[in-house]
Amino acid sequence: MNGWIILDKPVGLGSTQAVGAVKRVCREAGLGKVKVGHGGTLDPLASGVLPIALGEATKLCGRMLDASKIYDFTVQFGTETAGLDVEGEVVATSDVRPAAADIAAVLPRFTGPIEQVPPAYSAIKIDGKRAYDLARRGEEVEMKARCVTIHALDLHAAPDGPLASATLTAHVSKGTYIRSLARDIARAVGSVGHVTMLRRVKAGPFDLSQAISLDKLNAFGQGAAQSEIILPLEAGLVDIPALNLSPEAAGAIRQGRVWTGESTYDGLYWGRDSEMRPVALIEALAGTLKVVRGFNL
């Protein structure tokens, strides 16, 4: 069993719990023990696209973690919380409620490469301990700024006048904290704020159109068709070009050997055999093909 289940994760469910649910459903469907992993943690308070890899697709989880993501999120102005979301005590207040034009005016400051201070309530390790564990114990947590990239940042349509809240869409690089982005936008307009809604609408090549609900996932365990639930392994490779391999080249690549004499542009490919089965992620350089990650299919 090799491929992807794209879950529309509901609020309240952790990523590890989602992986556990997939393992359970696979057992119920009679698939036996299946290797399962997720392609990017999604906080319990967030919903949306959670790619879950099965079998050989788990070899692509690292690549999925590095992929850019798109989020819709709502910032409520006037209160900043310790967790920068709906959990945690209020740590700052403001009477300022910005207009849509005020928000739009500051967004260019947060587009492109920026430096961002992660939330204290995050999984980042400080001296070997998770920051959120230290913060929950009331310890002072000093978070260091990190460089991230905001590829695009757009404000949803909003009424005229002061806004109690605003919804935005952000296309961001790995390592970006939307809660920090919301905090910094609120401060830039002279207020404070926290996130009240966070929904991931795209992760790497996967979006909500491919995502299934928990109910549909559970239906798989009760006999629903596999084709309605599981996407093929190559669905996680659509953002890189495919390279058709000769039987000789495919055989060499499967054995992990370097293949020479291939006429193609330099770069990353996924190689496929004559039956269109993925063989490996391949790096092409000066006519030489080298295995980056092989698939046992």
Side-chain angles (χ1 to χ4, degrees):
M1 178 52 57
N2 309 289
W4 298 91
I5 291 176
I6 312 305
L7 186 65
D8 185 352
K9 189 193 80 65
V11 171
L13 186 73
S15 299
T16 301
Q17 291 173 301
V19 168
V22 169
K23 288 180 178 179
R24 171 183 55 77
V25 166
C26 286
R27 289 195 301 270
E28 291 173 352
L31 300 180
K33 189 174 181 180
V34 179
K35 189 175 183 180
V36 181
H38 65 74
T41 300
L42 196 56
D43 289 346
L45 292 177
S47 67
V49 175
L50 179 63
I52 298 179
L54 308 176
E56 288 295 289
T58 57
K59 293 178 177 179
L60 297 172
C61 282
R63 190 170 177 274
M64 203 62 58
L65 292 171
D66 290 339
S68 65
K69 317 247 181 348
I70 300 178
Y71 296 89
D72 289 341
F73 64 102
T74 298
V75 187
Q76 180 172 312
F77 298 105
T79 54
E80 182 178 313
T81 63
L84 302 179
D85 53 24
V86 295
E87 290 188 339
E89 70 277 11
V90 173
V91 295
T93 61
S94 172
D95 293 330
V96 175
R97 301 293 183 271
D102 301 322
I103 300 168
V106 303
L107 295 187
R109 299 188 209 172
F110 301 99
T111 305
I114 65 169
E115 282 204 342
Q116 177 185 81
V117 177
Y121 285 78
S122 66
I124 294 172
K125 286 190 175 180
I126 300 175
D127 297 330
K129 298 179 180 179
R130 298 289 185 186
Y132 55 65
D133 288 331
L134 298 174
R136 285 168 182 158
R137 290 204 298 263
E139 296 184 28
E140 189 70 26
V141 179
E142 183 179 350
M143 307 300 293
K144 294 181 180 179
R146 55 170 59 188
C147 293
V148 298
T149 300
I150 312 298
H151 301 292
L153 184 58
D154 299 296
L155 176 66
H156 292 205
D160 294 334
L163 299 174
S165 64
T167 299
L168 301 94
T169 296
H171 180 192
V172 303
S173 70
K174 63 172 280 191
T176 303
Y177 281 90
I178 298 297
R179 287 176 290 151
S180 292
L181 182 61
R183 172 199 63 202
D184 295 344
I185 290 171
R187 291 179 180 178
V189 295
S191 186
V192 294
H194 66 277
V195 171
T196 57
M197 183 280 291
L198 178 59
R199 182 160 174 76
R200 188 155 70 193
V201 298
K202 190 172 185 181
F206 300 117
D207 61 30
L208 284 171
S209 69
Q210 299 159 297
I212 62 170
S213 66
L214 268 183
D215 286 344
K216 192 166 185 178
L217 174 66
N218 289 328
F220 178 48
Q222 306 303 317
Q226 180 176 312
S227 60
E228 296 180 5
I229 306 296
I230 301 176
L231 301 177
L233 180 148
E234 53 267 36
L237 299 170
V238 296
D239 54 340
I240 59 175
L243 181 64
N244 294 323
L245 301 172
S246 67
E248 295 78 15
I253 294 296
R254 281 198 172 97
Q255 294 171 9
R257 292 190 281 124
V258 173
W259 181 259
T260 59
E262 192 74 29
S263 178
T264 188
Y265 294 107
D266 292 352
L268 184 68
Y269 296 85
W270 65 276
R272 59 189 181 190
D273 62 17
S274 58
E275 297 180 14
M276 299 294 110
R277 292 176 302 188
V279 176
L281 277 178
I282 300 168
E283 188 73 41
L285 182 63
T288 297
L289 304 182
K290 184 178 180 181
V291 177
V292 175
R293 196 69 162 149
F295 304 120
N296 297 316
L297 300 174

